[in-house]
Amino acid sequence: MRNILFLSVLAFAISFTACKPEEEEPLIVSVIEGHVTYEDTETGWEGKATKAIVKLHKDTEEGALKEVVADDYGFYQITDIIINNTAETKPTYQVSAEFKMTIGGSATTFTGRSENIIPAGNDTITCDLHLKI
């Protein structure tokens, strides 16, 4: 009889803990994506920066938190940018890109960097980059 009473109380306690409301997750995810293009004002060459290297930076720091390569259309997507939902301030990021191509027999490097980006979490931010020499 004691075992039945103990098991009943245990089952009752477990059912209450299983029904408590879920707490909001403190970590949420954002995505930054866009297209990378290039322009050389001297030659007039411009287009999609295919296979450009795109980097995610914390604020204005040079070191990259993440790095991706744009596809054949110059499109890139940086996923899994973690945002702490309980923090008082959201982190600030910048995106930079570098694209190399040969123009007139010499290698040319195009670069560019975005303005500050502040993800809110659970969002997708479009950040197109236009690279110049």
Side-chain angles (χ1 to χ4, degrees):
M1 183 73 164
R2 279 188 185 166
N3 287 342
I4 293 173
L5 181 59
F6 175 74
L7 291 175
S8 297
V9 170
L10 182 63
F12 186 71
I14 291 173
S15 68
F16 270 108
T17 58
C19 293
K20 74 178 189 178
E22 290 184 31
E23 296 178 14
E24 188 173 339
E25 287 291 322
L27 300 179
I28 51 181
V29 179
S30 287
V31 173
I32 299 174
E33 65 184 23
H35 286 90
V36 185
T37 57
Y38 71 92
E39 175 185 14
D40 181 1
T41 55
E42 287 183 23
T43 63
W45 287 62
E46 62 183 5
K48 298 173 185 168
T50 61
K51 307 297 184 201
I53 297 171
V54 182
K55 297 178 181 179
L56 177 70
H57 306 272
K58 176 109 169 96
D59 295 315
T60 58
E61 294 176 7
E62 285 304 312
L65 299 171
K66 293 186 176 214
E67 185 175 305
V68 298
V69 177
D71 66 13
D72 291 338
Y73 303 98
F75 178 78
Y76 75 93
Q77 186 175 62
I78 303 170
T79 59
D80 298 329
I81 301 169
I82 306 297
I83 308 296
N84 185 341
N85 197 27
T86 60
E88 288 186 30
T89 59
K90 304 290 186 214
T92 302
Y93 298 99
Q94 290 184 355
V95 176
S96 70
E98 180 177 284
F99 173 65
K100 295 180 181 183
M101 71 178 292
T102 303
I103 298 176
S106 61
T108 303
T109 302
F110 298 85
T111 59
R113 192 164 178 139
S114 73
E115 297 291 324
N116 288 340
I117 301 168
I118 303 174
N122 290 335
D123 58 347
T124 299
I125 298 169
T126 300
C127 179
D128 294 330
L129 295 168
H130 188 69
L131 312 181
K132 295 188 177 190
I133 295 176

